[in-house]
Amino acid sequence: MEKGKEPVMDCPETRPIAPVVVRKSPASTIPVVLHVNGQEHRIKVRRQDRLSSVLRDALGLTGLKEGCLEGECGACTVLLDDMPVNACLVLAFQADARKITTVEGVENADGSLSPLQQAFLDRGAVQCGYCTPGMVMAAHGLLLQNPRPSESEIREGLGGNLCRCTGFQTIVEAVKTVAEL
Amino acid sequence: MNGRTGVARPRTVDEVTAATRGLDGRIAYVAGATDLIIAQDGIPWPDLVIDITQVAGFNTVEVSRGFIRIGAATTMTTLSNHKTIGTEMMALARAAAKVGSVQIRNRATIGGNIASAMPAGDLLPALHCLGARIGILRRDGLHETLGFEAVVVGRGETCLGNGDLITTIYLPRETPKRRISAFVKTGPREVLTIARLGVAASIRLNPKLNRVEDARVVAGALAPVPLRMHQVEATLRDREIGQPLADDFLFALSQAVDAAIPGRHSQPYKRRAITGLGLDLLQQLFNREFDIPSVQAEPA
Amino acid sequence: MKHISKPHPILDGYEKVSGRLTYLDDMKIEGLVHAKLLLSTVAHGRITRIDADAALSQPGVLAVFHHGNTPGNTYNSTIWFEDQEAPEDECMFPRVVRHMGDRVAAIVAETAEIAREAAALIRVEYSELPAVFSAQAALAAETAEVDLVDETRFDYGDTDAAMAESDRVVETTVSTPRTHHCAIENHSCVAMPEKGGRILILSPCQSVFAVQMVTARALGIPASQIRVIKPPIGGSFGGKAEPVLDPLCAQFARVLKLPVRLSFERHETFTATRTRSGAIGRVRTAVSDDGHILARDTDVLIDVGAYTTGGIFLPGSMSQRLCRLYDIDNQRYRGRALRTNTVPSGAYRGYGSPQIHAISEINLDLTATALGMDPVVFRMKNLVEPNATDPTTGIDVGNARVRDCVTEGAARFDWKNRWGQTVGRSRLKRGVGMACGTHINGCFPGFHEATTATLALRPDGRVDLTCALHDLGCGSNTTLAQIIAEVLDIPPTDIVFCEVDSDICAYDLGTRASRMTYIAGEALRRTAKSLKAKIASVAALEFNCDPDDLSFEDRNVLSGHPSDRRISFSELFRRAENRNLELAATETYRATANPGSYAAHFAEVEVDILTGKVRVLDYLAVHDLGRSINRQLVEGQIHSGIQMGIGYALLEDIGVKPDTGALNGDSLSRYHVPNAPEMPRIETLLIEKTEPTGPYGAKAVGELATIPVAPAVVNATNAALGLSLTTLPLTPERVVAALKSQAR
């Protein structure tokens, strides 16, 4: 564009489309071993990769969802060494050699639901389902740390997981059902 | 070890120093990385990211005769569950338990909370009032131990230069039962909420446990850095535990807000809310109820 | 009944709870490329320059789109049928941006990450224009860009005369916040070229036909060139009713001849989709000393944001909701909707109803206070009776049971003993409050309030259902399956739902206006009856008997008294084939009524008078829904509505900054929705006195569930404190400020 002229709309043309090649990420250079749901995965990650995107995109574990990418919605909750974490706020390289459990690893080997998952279903704690895998993992983690939580401990334990469909009551009831088993 | 990946995962303090040696670029230390991931979103990353979670001693809490030594990469969950911290450093245990959600507390660390130096950082007023001293590894390999106020110097500002690292937090111990502390905060929600206001207090009682000998009271989210409220402390010092103490304490808290944020939009709210926090704080400290102040003096 | 009023787990619950259900962002699509929008950083301005050279030179960047290289066709994203008229002030990329977050440009790249990084390299220059950030400011300003999009008035009886003769007139001004749906799934869309130049859009939406129509207008191509399929949706609540991303994504796919994904991150969902409009309502209620409402005058100012969207309907919608609750002889109403330079508004659970009921129900409680009367007693003197006539439309409100809701609710809540009691220590004040609400059932008498469905027996004896049923995640398909199951006596799991596909399903309005159970449910009931008759006629041939002598039992047809012979559905399918008979039925049900659903909600709150925090301790929701098809799903809807309503009352506000128009609450860390610890235990009580025009007597509950919540919570807070708080949400700051001025 010529200088000194009145600013005119600069409308770059859409470029001709080159054949789509999958670009190799320039720095997928950190080798990690992820122990996910009892399986060992040897992959390379970049230092900025979030655990959530590695689990979803590289390992195809799309049960966990990314709802906010800042640890506020809890939809990406997984267990890291049996403790609930927001996978969106974990650097994948830091999960090296650690035990990761996603919703895919909670059900029984034959694909039948765990008692907690079954309780979610039976109590009507599942609606649109988008928060559900994260909610199940937060509840699962809570019960691992505290097998007999009180109602207020359940509510506190699920405080990092947002749901817009259930008002939480049936979710709390589902967790309580399992806690009382 | 890091030229290709931009990442170092040292296992000893010496390896930390070695990793930074000769590097001409920006260095970021990460532990839980909960702040870093959000802060770096969409902007270029530092030249070297050093994960300190594997450094020996950085994840441990050690109790010795004179102090509790906390590794910088100790998580909020560990702090809030630790037995000695829970009995002797209640303010820290409570503050750690009030950070974010379970998921955040399982990742976020004490060192990160200090290094981020955010006005609403929950641990900061607790650490300040507990007289924390902070161990720092300078980039040149020298160790240094500084008082809290020398480390957290402004909103998001610390004394740490590029490549300097918080390694350890030391909390002085005193005779149990005579040193008690507490932390309270308020925010939009009970759980998973950024503090609108927080207060921590640490007091020493007389041997009969009916008088306050000495006190430190620190407000969070009131000033760019945790604000030690000397005039509030004076209302506790050398006083018998009772309603007159509570009345003076609560009045002084409101005045401290007036002094800290005169004319600010949030002043009318915070000067009143802090009396609520003050009552909760007294209840935590002395395990008894106090009456709310009868007259609320408003600023002119 | 075997399936009606019975609990049945949500049909796709296994897939959801196991993490198997594939939402749009979970799908692997061959050759997919990724789009990222660049959003306006000014509230109002003419774009003078877009420099995309740096972005275009990035490896992996395929194209940059903006107003200079995309169709400038104007459209209104609220339309849902061909040729629908609505003011068209949106376009893909406007030359003049109208709010922070308006669409400036888009980058398409091989990966989402490249697109994101490249978008940050585009330089935009604006020539800024004057902007207004509130409806009041818009009213005061006299610019061409910001104006009134609708004004609706009605006036019946003689309001002025009745006011003059009344014992007292209570005036209040209530203001409601701009709020966001916060569905956990962000907005997302995929578009891809199909053979013959058509575009296929995968859109988690509320109406594939609305997506089709709006996209056709925007692109300037016939609707037949666009096919839309709805994948599973991670919550909507009205937020995904208007197509926002779809026209853009379709355009990119069309130009690039590649499948393109356009997915929003959370802050984009906040700043660049839709919100609930804010409203300020002044109400004057004239009463006699014995508590009869003699007249009411309501004036509402609605901030619809930067584009007209559905704002043209809001003043009218509000008036219709307002007039169906109390029997008032003299009423005047004026509703005005104005555009401002803020994020656009659109559908959000109740479409004007949460706003107008907050405005009127808070006024009503303050009127009761002025009268020194129990608000339950006051309401009972004025609530509508069954089959009252809506004075604005002349429509019968149906079997309106709001009086039962209040009476039975008050008894269950022990209202008499709890109201007027000051409970709690001096610092924590408790109080109880209640509010009523009403909502519609479908769009009747609006255009094309009908549903067409096809049911066909499958060889395996199950039943294929073809109908554009957009389950938004709350389990409407489960409810509808129970209706079909009841008619045919088959398990609800035997009904095979088709994917909602604009190429396959008959035209439908989609999920909106609380029409699923009441309209679609009745359509399916009739279609199932029609299929049942066809099955019976084939079975009658097989048994050589009168069809009236047949009975249906668990996938079988039985003949005779007592039933000695039976034939299974799968066998019948084979026999029908042999006879060249088709076991399929298609029916269209056109609505003939629009009854009201009603509710009364009761809340107890505790207020910390020092920190100003309000906590809801106890909650009872009573709903007149005719009949609950699936109580568990009904309660799910009610619980969810209460969560949103408590947020509306106490926490949620996108917080338009008065000086810049930027949003304070554009992330989940600054826009607070209630989480589990904030929620009280909720009890629900259902009034099931059946609506004659609804399927098995059922009518709607989902939208209504959120409508009385905020006024009930505000009324309880005012009762606890002896205050008249009227600005929502009741933040601690507002509560403390009110307590301070009360003390003076």
Side-chain angles (χ1 to χ4, degrees):
Chain A
M1 179 175 298
E2 288 175 66
K3 301 271 176 200
K5 277 194 172 180
E6 204 178 76
V8 290
M9 253 330 286
D10 179 16
C11 301
E13 286 301 304
T14 302
R15 288 204 310 186
I17 308 308
V20 178
V21 283
V22 177
R23 206 169 69 132
K24 257 207 146 158
S25 293
S28 284
T29 49
I30 309 170
V32 291
V33 183
L34 302 181
H35 300 275
V36 188
N37 303 331
Q39 278 196 316
E40 191 182 285
H41 298 268
R42 290 174 182 275
I43 56 170
K44 286 186 173 177
V45 299
R46 300 171 308 169
R47 59 184 187 159
Q48 70 269 33
D49 287 339
R50 300 169 190 250
L51 181 60
S52 55
S53 63
V54 167
L55 292 172
R56 282 177 56 85
D57 302 338
L59 304 187
L61 297 167
T62 54
L64 67 99
K65 310 298 178 206
E66 294 179 318
C68 70
L69 297 177
E70 57 167 351
E72 289 284 335
C73 78
C76 67
T77 301
V78 300
L79 304 189
L80 191 61
D81 292 336
D82 290 339
M83 310 267 267
V85 297
N86 295 307
C88 76
L89 291 189
V90 174
L91 291 173
F93 81 80
Q94 290 188 296
D96 181 34
R98 299 184 66 179
K99 175 186 170 193
I100 298 161
T101 314
T102 70
V103 71
E104 289 86 352
V106 169
E107 64 191 31
N108 302 318
D110 63 354
S112 63
L113 299 176
S114 72
L116 179 66
Q117 289 173 308
Q118 190 62 48
F120 265 64
L121 208 50
D122 294 344
R123 301 306 292 248
V126 180
Q127 284 194 40
C128 88
Y130 213 76
C131 78
T132 306
M135 198 69 82
V136 165
M137 294 318 293
H140 188 58
L142 170 71
L143 293 170
L144 286 176
Q145 311 296 322
N146 178 5
R148 297 272 179 279
S150 66
E151 170 153 349
S152 66
E153 286 171 334
I154 295 170
R155 287 182 182 269
E156 147 82 37
L158 301 178
N161 294 73
L162 299 183
C163 168
R164 273 305 232 189
C165 298
T166 64
F168 304 103
Q169 185 153 314
T170 48
I171 294 172
V172 171
E173 282 167 7
V175 179
K176 226 194 259 179
T177 320
V178 179
E180 283 161 4
L181 284 179
Chain B
M1 73 189 291
N2 52 58
R4 237 159 44 85
T5 60
V7 162
R9 308 196 76 190
R11 294 184 175 268
T12 64
V13 170
D14 287 347
E15 284 182 18
V16 173
T17 308
T20 64
R21 192 168 298 138
L23 186 85
D24 185 25
R26 201 156 65 86
I27 296 163
Y29 291 101
V30 297
T34 51
D35 284 343
L36 179 98
I37 292 176
I38 295 170
Q40 291 303 132
D41 194 38
I43 61 169
W45 272 50
D47 300 278
L48 178 62
V49 173
I50 302 180
D51 174 13
I52 61 160
T53 57
Q54 320 239 311
V55 179
F58 274 34
N59 287 303
T60 52
V61 178
E62 288 161 30
V63 182
S64 62
R65 218 164 56 177
F67 52 85
I68 299 179
R69 180 203 166 285
I70 302 169
T74 304
T75 65
M76 302 295 171
T77 300
T78 302
L79 294 175
S80 63
N81 291 340
H82 193 274
K83 199 161 165 262
T84 312
I85 294 174
T87 50
E88 296 182 24
M89 310 282 169
M90 188 53 117
L92 183 61
R94 294 245 184 181
K98 284 287 187 184
V99 171
S101 60
V102 176
Q103 289 95 323
I104 301 281
R105 292 195 292 277
N106 283 336
R107 294 295 296 166
T109 64
I110 186 169
N113 207 248
I114 299 169
S116 292
M118 294 319 289
D122 287 318
L123 297 198
L124 304 186
L127 290 169
H128 193 5
C129 85
L130 290 168
R133 295 189 60 78
I134 295 163
I136 290 168
L137 173 66
R138 294 294 184 188
R139 186 175 175 174
D140 56 14
L142 292 179
H143 290 270
E144 198 174 350
T145 304
L146 297 173
F148 181 86
E149 282 170 301
V151 177
V152 176
V153 296
R155 177 189 297 268
E157 283 177 50
T158 62
C159 70
L160 301 169
N162 186 30
D164 292 349
L165 171 67
I166 295 171
T167 61
T168 324
I169 291 84
Y170 301 96
L171 297 172
R173 296 178 73 194
E174 286 181 45
T175 322
K177 284 190 183 163
R178 286 189 56 199
R179 169 65 65 179
I180 52 180
S181 66
F183 170 84
V184 291
K185 83 179 214 190
T186 188
R189 291 185 294 218
E190 286 301 307
V191 173
L192 189 55
T193 199
I194 296 168
R196 186 97 170 80
L197 195 58
V199 186
S202 169
I203 60 174
R204 191 177 68 237
L205 300 173
N206 66 347
K208 288 165 92 180
L209 305 180
N210 63 346
R211 289 181 74 84
V212 180
E213 285 185 347
D214 195 18
R216 287 166 74 104
V217 185
V218 182
L222 185 61
V225 295
L227 183 70
R228 194 159 162 204
M229 301 182 287
H230 296 280
Q231 273 144 4
V232 174
E233 292 171 0
T235 65
L236 300 177
R237 199 169 291 130
D238 203 22
R239 289 284 296 275
E240 192 175 332
I241 299 164
Q243 189 64 40
L245 171 148
D247 290 344
D248 293 347
F249 173 69
L250 300 174
F251 183 73
L253 282 173
S254 287
Q255 288 196 311
V257 170
D258 294 339
I261 49 171
R264 193 84 66 80
H265 178 70
S266 57
Q267 183 196 356
Y269 172 70
K270 287 190 173 176
R271 75 180 314 280
R272 178 161 174 141
I274 203 165
T275 62
L277 292 182
L279 274 170
D280 293 340
L281 198 72
L282 293 176
Q283 202 209 330
Q284 265 188 39
L285 286 170
F286 303 124
N287 199 23
R288 56 165 275 196
E289 302 265 335
F290 294 88
D291 294 336
I292 75 171
S294 48
V295 181
Q296 283 267 315
E298 296 293 330
Chain C
M1 282 186 282
K2 206 163 168 184
H3 299 290
I4 300 297
S5 302
K6 296 291 187 302
H8 192 282
I10 200 160
L11 286 175
D12 48 5
Y14 172 79
E15 286 73 18
K16 287 172 174 171
V17 80
S18 66
R20 282 181 173 78
L21 189 65
T22 309
Y23 298 85
L24 185 58
D25 282 358
D26 304 334
M27 290 178 187
K28 287 253 177 278
I29 294 165
E30 192 75 22
L32 189 67
V33 299
H34 302 263
K36 175 78 182 176
L37 291 190
L38 184 71
L39 303 176
S40 169
T41 54
V42 302
H44 194 195
R46 179 172 296 278
I47 298 169
T48 54
R49 184 182 169 84
I50 298 177
D51 178 357
D53 288 352
L56 277 166
S57 68
Q58 292 296 301
V61 170
L62 303 174
V64 174
F65 293 94
H66 49 73
H67 69 77
N69 62 4
T70 50
N73 304 314
T74 53
Y75 58 93
N76 185 321
S77 58
T78 206
I79 63 164
W80 58 87
F81 59 86
E82 194 102 42
D83 304 327
Q84 185 176 1
E85 303 230 339
E88 298 183 330
D89 52 8
E90 292 169 70
C91 72
M92 281 186 205
F93 295 102
R95 280 171 189 274
V96 174
V97 291
R98 289 199 185 169
H99 71 98
M100 277 202 195
D102 210 345
R103 301 181 291 260
V104 173
I107 287 268
V108 184
E110 289 162 14
T111 70
E113 201 171 285
I114 297 171
R116 197 171 191 255
E117 285 166 6
L121 299 175
I122 299 177
R123 293 286 160 260
V124 184
E125 289 168 20
Y126 306 90
S127 163
E128 287 202 51
L129 297 165
V132 290
F133 305 124
S134 70
Q136 302 100 304
L139 205 59
E142 285 176 11
T143 65
E145 290 288 341
V146 179
D147 56 2
L148 196 65
V149 299
D150 182 70
E151 176 163 346
T152 296
R153 291 166 182 264
F154 70 75
D155 197 344
Y156 63 82
D158 189 341
T159 302
D160 289 331
M163 290 233 170
E165 285 164 22
S166 69
D167 292 324
R168 72 175 72 225
V169 176
V170 178
E171 176 172 333
T172 54
T173 299
V174 174
S175 128
T176 68
R178 298 285 295 276
T179 51
H180 198 275
H181 319 75
C182 295
I184 308 300
E185 179 197 44
N186 285 301
H187 285 59
S188 189
C189 177
V190 168
M192 56 184 85
E194 283 201 315
K195 279 179 194 153
R198 293 179 89 209
I199 300 291
L200 168 65
I201 300 174
L202 306 179
S203 178
C205 64
Q206 296 190 197
S207 163
V208 293
F209 300 102
V211 172
Q212 189 183 40
M213 303 302 167
V214 171
T215 305
R217 292 257 181 122
L219 270 61
I221 61 175
S224 59
Q225 287 297 294
I226 297 160
R227 176 183 178 191
V228 184
I229 294 175
K230 172 196 166 283
I233 187 168
S236 180
F237 317 105
K240 293 165 186 165
E242 292 188 2
V244 174
L245 306 181
D246 312 79
L248 307 162
C249 202
Q251 173 68 13
F252 307 156
R254 192 159 177 255
V255 170
L256 299 175
K257 300 189 169 48
L258 287 170
V260 180
R261 181 198 302 283
L262 176 51
S263 295
F264 266 174
E265 295 180 36
R266 183 59 60 183
H267 72 96
E268 296 166 321
T269 293
F270 272 112
T271 55
T273 65
R274 298 289 181 262
T275 56
R276 177 181 287 152
S277 60
I280 296 174
R282 194 205 60 180
V283 186
R284 292 193 304 137
T285 301
V287 286
S288 61
D289 279 339
D290 65 355
H292 286 98
I293 302 175
L294 304 174
R296 182 160 67 177
D297 184 3
T298 307
D299 193 344
V300 186
L301 205 54
I302 307 156
D303 177 356
V304 301
Y307 293 100
T308 303
T309 67
I312 36 170
F313 307 121
L314 271 171
S317 297
M318 286 188 187
S319 78
Q320 191 197 17
R321 285 27 158 196
L322 178 68
C323 291
R324 284 178 155 216
L325 194 49
Y326 297 98
D327 181 13
I328 302 174
D329 289 338
N330 306 287
Q331 250 196 113
R332 186 159 57 212
Y333 170 88
R334 176 172 69 161
R336 287 172 292 172
L338 290 103
R339 290 192 305 184
T340 61
N341 296 107
T342 61
V343 56
S345 65
Y348 180 8
R349 203 171 198 167
Y351 216 92
S353 229
Q355 296 96 311
I356 197 65
H357 282 100
I359 289 164
S360 58
E361 286 293 290
I362 293 170
N363 167 268
L364 217 72
D365 245 54
L366 294 173
T367 306
T369 305
L371 285 166
M373 192 174 276
D374 178 337
V376 162
V377 173
F378 177 48
R379 281 184 175 81
M380 285 304 292
K381 288 174 188 276
N382 295 288
L383 284 165
V384 291
E385 301 272 0
N387 298 108
T389 301
D390 172 348
T392 60
T393 57
I395 291 176
D396 186 326
V397 299
N399 193 10
R401 291 290 175 175
V402 63
R403 303 178 70 84
D404 303 62
C405 291
V406 173
T407 310
E408 296 199 23
R412 176 74 68 95
F413 200 69
D414 193 21
W415 175 268
K416 255 187 200 156
N417 290 316
R418 291 168 83 174
W419 186 75
Q421 296 297 310
T422 313
V423 189
R425 291 181 294 140
S426 54
R427 177 181 169 188
L428 301 174
K429 307 280 190 204
R430 287 191 187 185
V432 294
M434 58 90 59
C436 298
T438 181
H439 203 61
I440 48 162
N441 278 266
C443 297
F444 177 82
F447 179 78
H448 202 284
E449 184 41 289
T451 285
T452 300
T454 299
L455 285 168
L457 199 63
R458 291 165 68 112
D460 63 5
R462 294 187 296 158
V463 177
D464 268 329
L465 169 57
T466 308
C467 184
L469 299 169
H470 301 68
D471 189 331
L472 302 184
C474 52
S476 57
N477 280 358
T478 309
T479 302
L480 297 171
Q482 286 176 261
I483 292 174
I484 299 168
E486 183 66 34
V487 176
L488 295 173
D489 200 344
I490 56 175
T493 45
D494 269 14
I495 293 139
V496 183
F497 285 77
C498 73
E499 209 164 25
V500 183
D501 182 336
S502 63
D503 271 10
I504 292 170
C505 303
Y507 175 78
D508 196 86
L509 298 182
T511 300
R512 61 177 73 224
S514 286
R515 63 187 294 278
M516 292 309 283
T517 301
Y518 180 74
I519 306 280
E522 179 61 11
L524 292 174
R525 193 186 67 84
R526 290 176 183 219
T527 312
K529 278 188 75 171
S530 177
L531 177 65
K532 187 179 183 179
K534 290 197 175 179
I535 292 172
S537 68
V538 173
L541 290 174
E542 292 295 325
F543 292 137
N544 193 19
C545 70
D546 190 322
D548 290 344
D549 291 339
L550 297 169
S551 58
F552 282 62
E553 189 187 290
D554 194 20
R555 305 171 170 124
N556 289 279
V557 185
L558 281 57
S559 84
H561 301 288
S563 52
D564 47 2
R565 290 182 297 166
R566 62 170 55 216
I567 186 164
S568 70
F569 275 17
S570 54
E571 181 61 20
L572 264 174
F573 179 88
R574 211 172 53 77
R575 306 268 178 101
E577 284 288 299
N578 291 342
R579 294 177 185 272
N580 263 333
L581 291 171
E582 202 181 31
L583 287 179
T586 298
E587 293 289 334
T588 296
Y589 169 63
R590 291 187 184 285
T592 55
N594 194 337
S597 289
Y598 288 86
H601 285 200
F602 299 78
E604 181 179 34
V605 302
E606 182 176 78
V607 191
D608 182 331
I609 63 163
L610 296 179
T611 63
K613 286 187 75 169
V614 181
R615 275 192 75 80
V616 183
L617 299 178
D618 187 19
Y619 205 96
L620 170 67
V622 192
H623 277 259
D624 157 33
L625 45 42
R627 179 197 295 283
S628 68
I629 304 290
N630 182 330
R631 185 170 182 123
Q632 193 176 63
L633 293 176
V634 164
E635 289 186 349
Q637 290 277 291
I638 293 173
H639 295 168
S640 155
I642 292 167
Q643 187 234 20
M644 286 185 170
I646 288 177
Y648 198 45
L650 302 178
L651 291 167
E652 298 183 30
D653 188 349
I654 58 167
V656 177
K657 292 183 186 170
D659 49 344
T660 62
L663 303 186
N664 261 322
D666 66 350
S667 74
L668 289 172
S669 59
R670 287 190 301 274
Y671 182 98
H672 300 101
V673 304
N675 54 3
E678 297 299 312
M679 291 297 295
R681 292 289 302 173
I682 297 164
E683 195 189 352
T684 54
L685 183 61
L686 305 182
I687 307 296
E688 300 187 83
K689 297 202 169 173
T690 69
E691 164 56 42
T693 58
Y696 295 102
K699 52 187 178 179
V701 70
E703 292 193 89
L704 176 55
T706 206
I707 290 166
V709 186
V713 170
V714 172
N715 290 343
T717 307
N718 282 334
L721 301 177
L723 287 175
S724 39
L725 290 157
T726 55
T727 301
L728 277 59
L730 304 184
T731 58
E733 287 81 354
R734 286 182 177 139
V735 171
V736 162
L739 284 163
K740 284 189 169 184
S741 45
Q742 180 190 38
R744 284 201 189 103

